[in-house]
């Protein structure tokens, strides 16, 4: 049954990702991205990572995407969406960069198959059976990776303060 | 019947019970809202719908409303985004309906050699699930506002989204204190924790350790934020049926009905969460797994299925009482203005919830040791 669920969710995920890129309507694109993020959450759930799946829905689908949709709604119908693409020259860059990303993914996959190397099973921390359980995530974040966790939170705080300063200066 | 068939049947029964309970409560609330407001404002209220002369205090009005909405013209504005316009009410209703799935309505039922948890879905991080589903409801109102191709609806949708986000942040922060006290995000564990006696060295076995006693500030903050999340009076500026225009101005018939239903179902979900987190969920005071054990020494032995039944009834009763209380507040307060509600959410409820988390942490460390 897990394989069947995986196949359905994977197909929906790929289809919504394609729709996100191909749809002209920015709102439709953003909503397809929500569907895609939801599918990824289900994939996490299939892997037993319950906390990760719910955090994915709350933070990405429930918070970040709401802001995306909000911003698009306030800005419609901007020139960017209806006129010719002003960033047309960037499309040339897209092909080699996309190929490079594909190469990277292939390398990681190949490494994990052989057991060592980048992203291999050996390089992942061993955290017991319930790797996605909330206890193990909490233990890792506030134990082994406390420094990285705190540095990330300070980075986010700095970004927040920076945005506040920029927004305030504009309004005066 | 094979074991897998029985397992499937039990799983179906658990989901069906929650579904029926939420839908029935939501439908009844439309009647409760009209009748209670009438009593509070010295009116008679809904009493006209009758079947063969039987009126039952207007209890047939939800039925009449449903028939009316299903048979009304389903209007689609000319410039509307057809797909999103149709999808929006479904997103609103479904996200509210599935949110209740992780809220337990009873302890374990032991019957026929099986242990059946009385909960539609058993989840390790159940609170987060409810929270995640409630947060998806924002897309329904935003899609409705945008797809209507009406600037008033768009503005209403944005007011609704801003309100729901500010409320959900406060809800999430106020729940944190409860999770800290009971040491779990699993609703079943939190409710079991609330069955223990509160401060037995002072009160003996008299007072149960319900969340309302251990986390009173969180209870008040959660209730206020929960009312805001349901987008009803006093937080009904996104729709404001009587004066201002809201996100569902272009909707008619059952699609409009579904938005109303989503609000009522959200009220039931908030009441269920309040019950589970602060009022002991399915706990009946002094009722253990094998019967009553009163603190003055008397005991009444009860069979296990009877205990489970009492627990389910207690849960339903508590949810109904919280719904009644929410309606009472609804018809007591005037409407907040948009900026007032935003200030209340971001500058009042949210910082106070964070303060509550910090204070709870300090007390817990001082009490139990680091």
């Amino acid at each position: 049954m897990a394989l069947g669920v995986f196949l359905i969710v994977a197909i929906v995920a790929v289809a919504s990702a394609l729709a996100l890129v191909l749809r002209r309507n920015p709102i439709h694109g953003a909503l397809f991205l929500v569907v895609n993020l939801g599918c990824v959450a289900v994939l996490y759930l299939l892997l037993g990572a319950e906390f990760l799946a719910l955090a994915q829905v709350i933070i990405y689908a429930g918070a970040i995407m709401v802001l995306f949709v909000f911003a698009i709604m306030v800005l419609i119908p901007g020139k960017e969406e209806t006129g010719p693409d002003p960033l047309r020259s960037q499309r040339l860059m897209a092909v080699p960069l996309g190929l490079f990303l594909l190469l990277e993914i292939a390398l990681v996959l190949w490494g994990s198959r052989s057991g060592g190397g980048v992203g291999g099973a050996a390089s992942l921390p061993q955290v017991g059976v319930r790797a996605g359980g909330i206890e193990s995530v909490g233990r890792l974040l506030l134990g082994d990776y406390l420094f990285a966790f705190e540095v990330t939170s300070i980075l986010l705080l700095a970004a927040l303060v920076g945005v506040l300063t920029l927004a305030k200066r504009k309004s005066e | 019947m094979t074991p897998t068939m029985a397992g499937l049947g039990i799983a179906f029964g658990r989901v069906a019970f929650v579904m029926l309970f939420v839908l029935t409560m939501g439908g009844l609330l439309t009647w409760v809202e009209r009748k209670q407001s009438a009593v509070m404002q010295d009116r008679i209220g809904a009493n006209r719908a009758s079947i063969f002369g039987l009126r039952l205090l207007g209890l047939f009005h939800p039925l009449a409303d449903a028939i009316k909405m299903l048979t009304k013209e389903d209007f689609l504005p000319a410039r509307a985004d057809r797909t999103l316009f149709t999808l929006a009410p479904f997103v609103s209703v479904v996200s509210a309906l599935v949110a209740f799935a992780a809220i337990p309505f009873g302890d374990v039922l032991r019957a026929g050699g099986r242990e059946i948890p009385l909960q539609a879905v058993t989840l390790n991080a159940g609170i987060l699930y409810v929270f995640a589903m409630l947060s998806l409801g924002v897309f329904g109102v935003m899609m409705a506002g945008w797809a209507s191709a009406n600037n008033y609806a768009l503005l209403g949708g944005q007011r609704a989204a801003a309100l729901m986000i500010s409320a959900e942040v406060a809800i999430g922060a106020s729940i944190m204190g409860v999770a800290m006290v009971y040491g779990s995000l699993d609703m079943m564990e939190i409710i079991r924790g609330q069955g223990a006696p509160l401060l037995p060295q002072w009160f003996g076995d008299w007072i149960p350790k319900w969340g309302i006693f251990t986390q009173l500030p969180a209870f008040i903050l959660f209730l206020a934020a929960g009312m805001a999340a349901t987008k009803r009076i006093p937080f009904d500026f996104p729709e404001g049926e009587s004066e201002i225009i809201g996100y569902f101005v272009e909707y008619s018939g059952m699609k409009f009905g579904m938005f109303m239903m989503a609000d009522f179902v959200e009220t039931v979900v908030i009441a269920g969460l309040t019950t589970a987190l602060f009022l002991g969920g399915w706990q009946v005071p002094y009722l253990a797994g094998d019967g009553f054990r009163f603190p003055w020494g008397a005991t009444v032995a009860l069979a296990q299925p009877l205990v489970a039944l009492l627990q389910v009834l207690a849960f339903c009763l508590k949810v109904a009482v919280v719904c009644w209380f929410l309606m009472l507040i609804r018809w007591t307060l005037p409407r907040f203005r948009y900026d007032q509600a935003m200030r209340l959410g971001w500058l009042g409820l949210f910082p106070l919830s964070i303060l509550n988390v910090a204070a709870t942490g300090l007390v817990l460390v001082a009490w139990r040791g680091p």
Side-chain angles (χ1 to χ4, degrees):
Chain A
M1 198 184 97
L3 184 69
V5 175
F6 170 78
L7 279 178
I8 294 169
V9 173
I11 290 169
V12 175
V14 171
S16 57
L18 282 176
L20 157 68
V21 182
L22 297 175
R23 291 297 292 218
R24 285 239 147 207
N25 189 325
I27 291 273
H28 289 186
L31 291 174
F32 274 117
L33 183 51
V34 176
V35 175
N36 183 266
L37 292 169
C39 290
V40 175
V42 178
L43 292 183
Y44 287 148
L45 209 55
L46 284 177
L47 293 171
E50 214 170 71
F51 174 71
L52 204 57
L54 291 170
Q56 165 97 357
V57 173
I58 293 173
I59 294 168
Y60 282 97
I64 293 179
M65 283 319 293
V66 168
L67 285 184
F68 268 55
V69 176
F70 211 99
I72 295 173
M73 280 182 182
V74 175
L75 296 175
I76 49 158
K79 257 189 198 148
E80 296 86 351
E81 288 87 40
T82 48
D85 188 359
L87 304 173
R88 217 180 170 82
S89 53
Q90 289 190 2
R91 289 187 186 180
L92 289 176
M93 292 283 288
V95 177
L97 280 177
L99 283 177
F100 184 67
L101 183 66
L102 270 183
L103 191 72
E104 269 185 322
I105 294 173
L107 271 178
V108 169
L109 281 180
W110 186 68
S112 70
R113 270 177 79 94
S114 57
V118 192
S123 68
L124 289 174
Q126 298 299 312
V127 284
V129 199
R130 287 192 46 82
I134 192 156
E135 294 91 346
S136 51
V137 171
R139 245 171 246 292
L140 280 178
L141 273 186
L142 298 174
D144 298 6
Y145 298 103
L146 182 65
F147 183 69
F149 180 72
E150 292 296 336
V151 166
T152 314
S153 62
I154 289 172
L155 185 71
L156 288 175
L157 189 67
L160 197 71
V161 174
V163 166
L164 276 179
T165 330
L166 285 175
K168 195 143 199 192
R169 198 172 291 160
K170 227 174 211 171
S171 69
E172 274 169 6
Chain B
M1 201 149 81
T2 58
T4 38
M5 284 292 287
L8 266 180
I10 288 167
F12 181 78
R14 280 154 61 189
V15 174
F17 177 85
V18 169
M19 219 53 184
L20 283 177
F21 174 72
V22 175
L23 284 174
T24 313
M25 285 294 282
L28 269 180
L29 275 184
T30 62
W31 171 79
V32 171
E33 172 160 276
R34 296 176 67 178
K35 210 66 186 173
Q36 191 172 345
S37 67
V39 171
M40 287 174 74
Q41 296 162 356
D42 203 12
R43 295 184 284 116
I44 295 173
N47 70 340
R48 286 306 167 117
S50 69
I51 297 180
F52 304 122
L54 204 66
R55 285 184 175 171
L56 287 181
L57 294 169
L59 252 179
F60 294 124
H61 271 268
L63 267 181
D65 281 342
I67 294 168
K68 178 191 76 181
M69 281 170 173
L70 283 170
T71 50
K72 263 188 171 177
E73 184 196 354
D74 187 22
F75 178 73
L76 187 80
R79 291 179 53 225
D81 186 319
R82 195 176 272 270
T83 324
L84 289 189
F85 189 81
T86 314
L87 204 60
F90 288 92
V91 172
S92 270
V93 156
V94 169
S95 67
L97 274 179
V98 296
F100 209 91
I103 301 177
F105 51 90
D107 201 357
V108 182
L109 172 69
R110 287 184 197 85
R114 282 170 183 277
E115 291 207 347
I116 306 161
L118 296 178
Q119 186 181 17
V121 189
T122 46
L123 274 174
N124 207 333
I127 298 185
L128 291 182
Y129 168 81
V130 181
F131 193 56
M133 292 305 123
L134 279 180
S135 72
L136 288 183
V138 182
F139 286 107
V141 296
M142 283 170 91
M143 280 157 71
W146 188 80
S148 297
N150 176 330
N151 284 337
Y152 292 108
L154 182 65
L155 287 173
Q158 289 179 351
R159 282 199 306 272
L163 173 70
M164 287 169 87
I165 292 172
S166 68
E168 271 151 20
V169 168
I171 289 178
S174 60
I175 285 175
M176 263 194 262
V178 181
M180 284 161 77
V181 170
Y182 300 102
S184 180
L185 284 173
D186 186 346
M187 298 254 225
M188 213 51 148
E189 288 303 314
I190 290 177
I191 295 175
R192 287 204 182 110
Q194 293 181 64
L198 178 75
L199 299 173
Q201 62 271 43
W202 293 348
F203 304 121
D205 291 338
W206 288 89
I207 302 177
K209 197 179 166 187
W210 286 6
I212 189 169
F213 301 125
T214 54
Q215 283 282 310
L216 185 62
F219 172 71
I220 296 166
L221 293 167
F222 176 82
L223 216 55
M227 288 212 72
T230 58
K231 312 188 288 298
R232 306 283 297 166
I233 305 168
F235 296 97
D236 71 334
F237 57 79
E239 47 205 54
E241 297 147 55
S242 43
E243 301 96 358
I244 42 181
I245 299 182
Y247 55 90
F248 47 53
V249 61
E250 297 287 359
Y251 281 85
S252 60
M254 201 55 211
K255 284 186 194 145
F256 166 76
M258 283 168 81
F259 278 120
M260 294 306 283
M261 199 169 107
D263 284 1
F264 283 108
V265 169
E266 265 171 20
T267 306
V268 181
V269 172
I270 293 296
L273 264 183
T274 313
T275 305
L277 299 177
F278 297 102
L279 300 178
W282 39 258
Q283 297 274 4
V284 184
Y286 316 130
L287 182 67
D290 52 357
F292 281 102
R293 285 186 196 160
F294 295 106
W296 56 86
T299 52
V300 181
L302 291 173
Q304 211 278 327
L306 202 60
V307 170
L309 182 70
L310 273 179
Q311 286 169 342
V312 174
L313 285 179
F315 177 77
C316 297
L317 183 74
K318 283 177 191 176
V319 171
V321 169
V322 177
C323 282
W324 164 81
F325 184 69
L326 289 173
M327 294 274 170
L328 196 70
I329 299 174
R330 179 175 298 177
W331 293 109
T332 309
L333 295 176
R335 177 188 300 145
F336 282 109
R337 231 171 36 219
Y338 173 73
D339 58 322
Q340 290 170 331
M342 284 297 114
R343 204 172 301 139
L344 177 73
W346 291 108
L347 300 180
L349 299 178
F350 179 53
L352 284 176
S353 306
I354 296 290
L355 262 182
N356 178 55
V357 172
T360 308
L362 279 178
V363 171
L364 283 181
V365 169
W367 199 266
R368 296 175 187 162

